């Protein structure tokens, strides 16, 4: 079985590489570009041949002489978009409300049809309704407790910010241990950079994907402690941690190099949440040797498998949650069931038909036939770059035209020249008799050509186009008019039209938070025990009362 697991790991590593390349092509480039313009205080990177080779939205000629530029400007309009939109989209503290799932048909119609849906006794029927309401309120209290305990407001803001700039943001269900030995399941922000999806998926909610992947880079000691419960021996990853920096530098998908300043030895692996089993149905790797017997054996683990796959070249060749030591040498039914449990999803998120994953993904601008949304900034990135370029040219022009050029006779003495150039506000000039005439004949100021207004007008037009394209101002296509409103109703209609885009995006955030709450509820119901729940409701732990 150990050889079979090595082949499984190889197949998943190939699938992960394919998913990464697909994401980089369809999403990664534009996400990195937009985040760079938002996050970098200086846009000097724009004015280089290396950047222009892969620039999106605006490029200059290959023969442009960047070293001749006198000024390199930064006008960060992308940051302004975030500062305006983020408070609108995420201005309230997340407050969960749980309502009983009741039939919306009038109960009297059931009674008229002779169908009984509640106890016939009025008191019993009232008690049934009260139990449903109590369950809903208790559930809401539990969900709201974790929002305060785990600071969901800040985590949510980070994810919304990333969705605005990069195109997608993520909240992931996570178990958090407490100092008193209890634990609480909640939601945490994670960068969309760490998430990949089945390269065959086509839906932006990832509902049609066969698997999704989360990249993890953690200290070796921490990983070994977490996976010790699955049979991973202490020290199994010691050498692998030393390989991390080297392998990351050699990976062409990591152009920033390794974590040279990391304070600990790190290990890179991938959490794979699969709905297609252990990976036996994946396209065969060029180096794996899975046969029909192996397929039958792997089929027994079921469709919903959770695997932790080490990154290629890390020096470990088995799933972290299914190491060779977990088999113990005997293949009994009991050992098989234990192994099956180890690779099963920790929480059965797959039961949720609308979002079968452990994360909630937010995207404002889905692309048809693609699992990746495009950034809110993508349509206007060319304008952002053009404004930076034009401002640089204008400031360079100012730099040249603001120079002072003086014309003097060739034979003017050096002390007079020095006084003209370096003299104080009031300087006495003694002129030789050879220099007859007035000072006007002695000194003439040469004026440079005036600055034209064409560039200012172009810059103003581009800024307006940028703000309309992002929805920052009220001067968008729906709200423009050349006439004054003639009634209160007309004013209200225009206000409603102006608020369509922000409201649509705010509705997307509300729906995303509802999806995230379902993830949290499922995780809490599956992983928290009675002591964990008692702490949430400020009650004594049952284990201590007994």
């Amino acid at each position: 079985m150990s050889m079979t697991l090595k082949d499984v790991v190889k197949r998943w590593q190939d699938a992960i590489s394919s998913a990464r390349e697909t994401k980089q092509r369809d999403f990664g480039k534009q996400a990195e570009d937009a985040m760079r313009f938002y996050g970098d205080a200086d846009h000097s990177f724009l004015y280089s041949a290396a950047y222009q080779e892969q620039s999106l939205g605006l490029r200059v000629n290959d023969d442009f002489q960047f070293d001749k530029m006198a000024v390199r400007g930064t006008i960060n309009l992308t940051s302004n978009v975030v500062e305006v939109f983020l408070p609108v989209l995420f201005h309230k503290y997340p407050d969960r409300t749980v309502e009983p799932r009741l039939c919306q048909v009038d109960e009297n119609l059931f009674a008229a049809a002779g169908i009984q849906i509640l106890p016939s006794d009025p008191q019993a029927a009232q008690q049934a309704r009260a139990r449903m309401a109590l369950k809903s309120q208790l559930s809401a209290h539990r969900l709201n407790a974790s929002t305060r305990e785990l600071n969901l407001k800040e985590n949510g803001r980070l994810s919304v910010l990333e969705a605005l700039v990069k195109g997608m943001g993520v909240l992931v269900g996570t178990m958090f241990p407490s100092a008193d030995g209890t634990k609480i399941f909640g939601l945490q922000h994670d960068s969309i950079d760490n998430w990949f999806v089945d390269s065959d998926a086509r839906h932006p909610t990832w509902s049609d994907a066969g698997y999704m992947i989360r990249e993890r880079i953690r200290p070796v000691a921490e990983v070994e402690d977490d996976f010790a419960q699955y049979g991973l021996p202490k020290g199994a990853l010691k050498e692998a941690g030393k390989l991390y920096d080297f392998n990351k530098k050699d990976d062409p998908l990591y152009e920033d190099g390794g974590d040279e300043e990391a304070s600990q030895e790190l290990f890179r692996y991938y959490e794979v949440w699969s709905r297609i089993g252990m990976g036996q149905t994946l396209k065969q790797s060029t180096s794996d040797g899975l046969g029909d017997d192996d397929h039958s054996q792997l089929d027994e683990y079921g469709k919903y498998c959770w695997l932790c796959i080490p990154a290629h070249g890390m020096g470990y060749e088995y799933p972290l949650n299914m190491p060779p030591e977990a088999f113990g040498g005997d293949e009994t039914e009991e050992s098989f069931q234990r192994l099956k449990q180890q690779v099963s999803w920790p929480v059965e998120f797959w039961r949720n038909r609308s979002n079968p994953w452990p994360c909630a993904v937010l995207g404002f601008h889905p692309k048809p036939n693609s699992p990746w949304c495009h950034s809110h900034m993508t349509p206007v990135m060319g304008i952002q770059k053009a404004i930076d370029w034009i401002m640089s040219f204008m400031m360079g022009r100012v730099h040249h035209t603001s120079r002072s050029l003086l014309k003097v006779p060739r034979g003017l003495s050096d002390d007079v020249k020095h006084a003209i150039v370096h003299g104080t506000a009031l300087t006495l000039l003694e002129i030789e008799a050879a220099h007859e005439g007035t000072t006007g004949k002695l000194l003439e100021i040469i004026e440079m050509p005036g600055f034209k207004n064409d560039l200012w007008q172009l810059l103003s037009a581009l800024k307006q186009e940028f703000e309309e394209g992002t929805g920052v101002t009220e001067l968008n296509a729906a709200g423009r008019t050349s006439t004054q409103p003639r009634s209160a109703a007309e004013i209200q209609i225009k206000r409603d039209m102006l608020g369509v885009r922000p409201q649509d995006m705010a509705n997307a955030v509300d729906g995303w938070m509802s999806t995230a709450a379902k993830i949290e509820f499922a995780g809490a119901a599956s992983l928290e025990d009675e002591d964990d729940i008692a702490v949430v409701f400020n009650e004594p732990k049952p284990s201590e009362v007994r």
Side-chain angles (χ1 to χ4, degrees):
M1 184 64 178
S2 61
M3 293 301 296
T4 300
L5 289 178
K6 284 186 177 182
D7 292 330
V8 167
V9 168
K10 291 176 183 177
R11 285 202 179 187
W12 278 116
Q13 288 173 343
D14 286 352
I16 292 167
S17 295
S18 176
R20 184 191 292 276
E21 291 169 2
T22 301
K23 176 187 176 184
Q24 182 67 11
R25 182 194 67 214
D26 297 344
F27 175 81
K29 289 182 179 179
Q30 54 105 4
E32 293 165 5
D33 201 37
M35 179 54 74
R36 198 169 184 183
F37 275 85
Y38 168 73
D40 284 14
D42 185 7
H43 292 178
S44 293
F45 60 84
L46 176 64
Y47 313 105
S48 68
Y51 177 80
Q52 289 300 320
E53 289 178 359
Q54 43 85 41
S55 176
L56 303 175
L58 183 73
R59 294 190 184 184
V60 299
N61 293 336
D62 295 339
D63 58 352
F64 185 85
Q65 296 179 331
F66 295 94
D67 56 336
K68 301 295 185 182
M69 295 182 66
V71 178
R72 304 185 180 199
T74 297
I75 309 296
N76 199 338
L77 297 180
T78 303
S79 178
N80 184 53
V81 173
V82 175
E83 296 305 317
V84 171
F85 265 92
L86 190 57
V88 173
L89 300 179
F90 203 81
H91 65 285
K92 295 181 180 179
Y93 197 87
D95 185 40
R96 273 73 177 275
T97 302
V98 180
E99 298 289 345
R101 184 176 294 178
L102 300 175
C103 180
Q104 299 300 313
V105 180
D106 188 349
E107 295 177 8
N108 295 324
L109 294 178
F110 285 100
I115 302 173
Q116 183 175 322
I117 60 173
L118 287 172
S120 56
D121 180 10
Q123 184 176 0
Q126 186 177 4
Q127 290 176 346
R129 293 191 181 93
R131 282 193 296 270
M132 288 188 288
L134 177 61
K135 183 178 179 181
S136 297
Q137 291 189 25
L138 291 173
S139 299
H141 178 85
R142 161 59 191 83
L143 291 173
N144 286 317
S146 66
T147 66
R148 297 185 293 270
E149 183 77 16
L150 304 175
N151 196 8
L152 179 59
K153 182 176 183 179
E154 187 60 31
N155 281 277
R157 281 177 64 88
L158 288 172
S159 297
V160 173
L161 187 156
E162 200 168 39
L164 267 174
V165 178
K166 292 185 177 180
M168 300 180 80
V170 176
L171 283 174
V172 57
T174 308
M175 181 63 78
F176 294 87
S178 302
D180 61 358
T182 59
K183 54 190 181 296
I184 184 170
F185 189 90
L187 297 165
Q188 183 181 41
H189 163 74
D190 191 23
S191 175
I192 191 64
D193 296 347
N194 300 328
W195 294 81
F196 309 93
V197 69
D198 180 1
S199 54
D200 295 329
R202 294 293 179 268
H203 201 279
T205 63
W206 300 358
S207 57
D208 64 334
Y211 53 88
M212 55 81 60
I213 304 154
R214 182 187 185 190
E215 183 180 49
R216 308 296 304 273
I217 300 174
R218 303 170 60 201
V220 168
E222 197 176 279
V223 176
E224 289 183 345
D225 287 345
D226 282 358
F227 287 93
Q229 59 181 312
Y230 300 105
L232 184 70
K234 192 73 173 177
L237 307 179
K238 185 176 181 180
E239 294 301 318
K242 297 177 180 178
L243 295 173
Y244 171 71
D245 286 344
F246 173 77
N247 288 329
K248 190 172 181 181
K249 288 177 183 176
D250 282 356
D251 190 338
L253 295 172
Y254 285 93
E255 298 178 356
D256 58 343
D259 287 351
E260 297 176 353
E261 299 180 1
S263 59
Q264 303 181 62
E265 292 181 347
L266 302 176
F267 188 82
R268 179 157 57 114
Y269 68 97
Y270 301 91
E271 282 188 72
V272 177
W273 301 76
S274 170
R275 296 196 293 175
I276 58 172
M278 293 283 287
Q280 64 273 22
T281 60
L282 293 171
K283 185 182 295 184
Q284 185 172 1
S285 169
T286 56
S287 56
D288 79 59
L290 291 180
D292 293 340
D293 293 341
D294 297 320
H295 280 235
S296 300
Q297 189 176 10
L298 294 173
D299 285 340
E300 297 179 8
Y301 287 93
K303 292 173 57 178
Y304 301 99
C305 295
W306 173 68
L307 296 167
C308 296
I309 304 297
H312 178 73
M314 289 303 299
Y316 194 77
E317 300 177 309
Y318 304 96
L320 299 180
N321 57 329
M322 207 175 184
E325 292 80 4
F327 293 91
D330 55 341
E331 297 186 6
T332 63
E333 179 63 23
E334 182 180 352
S335 65
F336 169 75
Q337 292 300 328
R338 175 172 51 81
L339 291 171
K340 186 177 181 179
Q341 182 63 31
Q342 288 187 190
V343 297
S344 298
W345 287 32
V347 179
E348 295 180 347
F349 296 112
W350 50 266
R351 292 187 179 276
N352 184 353
R353 290 188 292 269
S354 60
N355 179 49
W357 305 114
C359 62
V361 182
L362 172 65
F364 297 113
H365 307 290
K367 293 189 291 187
N369 206 35
S370 173
W372 300 104
C373 301
H374 71 71
S375 165
H376 189 66
M377 306 307 305
T378 296
V380 295
M381 283 310 300
I383 300 177
Q384 164 73 81
K385 296 175 184 181
I387 289 174
D388 278 344
W389 274 102
I390 292 173
M391 181 58 69
S392 299
F393 291 145
M394 291 175 63
M395 292 301 99
R397 178 71 173 168
V398 170
H399 170 73
H400 290 296
T401 59
S402 61
R403 292 180 301 159
S404 296
L405 298 180
L406 306 178
K407 185 174 71 172
V408 297
R410 185 181 297 275
L412 194 65
S413 61
D414 290 340
D415 57 337
V416 173
K417 294 178 182 178
H418 184 274
I420 293 174
V421 176
H422 302 290
T424 61
L426 179 61
T427 303
L428 177 64
L429 295 178
E430 294 183 359
I431 303 174
E432 297 289 343
H435 299 296
E436 299 180 357
T438 63
T439 305
K441 295 181 179 179
L442 188 68
L443 174 68
E444 182 179 352
I445 299 176
I446 300 176
E447 293 186 2
M448 301 294 289
F451 197 88
K452 296 182 179 180
N453 290 328
D454 294 356
L455 285 178
W456 285 113
Q457 294 171 358
L458 175 60
L459 189 66
S460 178
L462 286 174
K463 185 174 182 293
Q464 178 176 325
E465 189 68 26
F466 181 92
E467 292 176 345
E468 290 180 359
T470 55
V472 170
T473 67
E474 296 180 353
L475 300 176
N476 55 34
R480 267 191 237 143
T481 178
S482 59
T483 60
Q484 292 293 324
R486 290 174 289 184
S487 66
E490 185 178 351
I491 293 174
Q492 186 59 45
I493 290 172
K494 289 178 179 177
R495 285 177 179 172
D496 292 343
M497 295 173 69
L498 288 170
V500 167
R501 175 162 31 178
Q503 188 59 51
D504 178 66
M505 296 172 71
N507 290 341
V509 173
D510 289 343
W512 170 65
M513 290 302 295
S514 296
T515 300
K518 293 177 182 178
I519 292 174
E520 185 174 347
F521 191 85
S526 298
L527 300 180
E528 293 179 355
D529 57 30
E530 55 184 8
D531 280 0
D532 303 327
I533 298 298
V535 171
V536 171
F537 288 92
N538 296 317
E539 295 182 354
K541 298 179 186 177
S543 61
E544 296 178 354
V545 174
R546 298 189 187 103

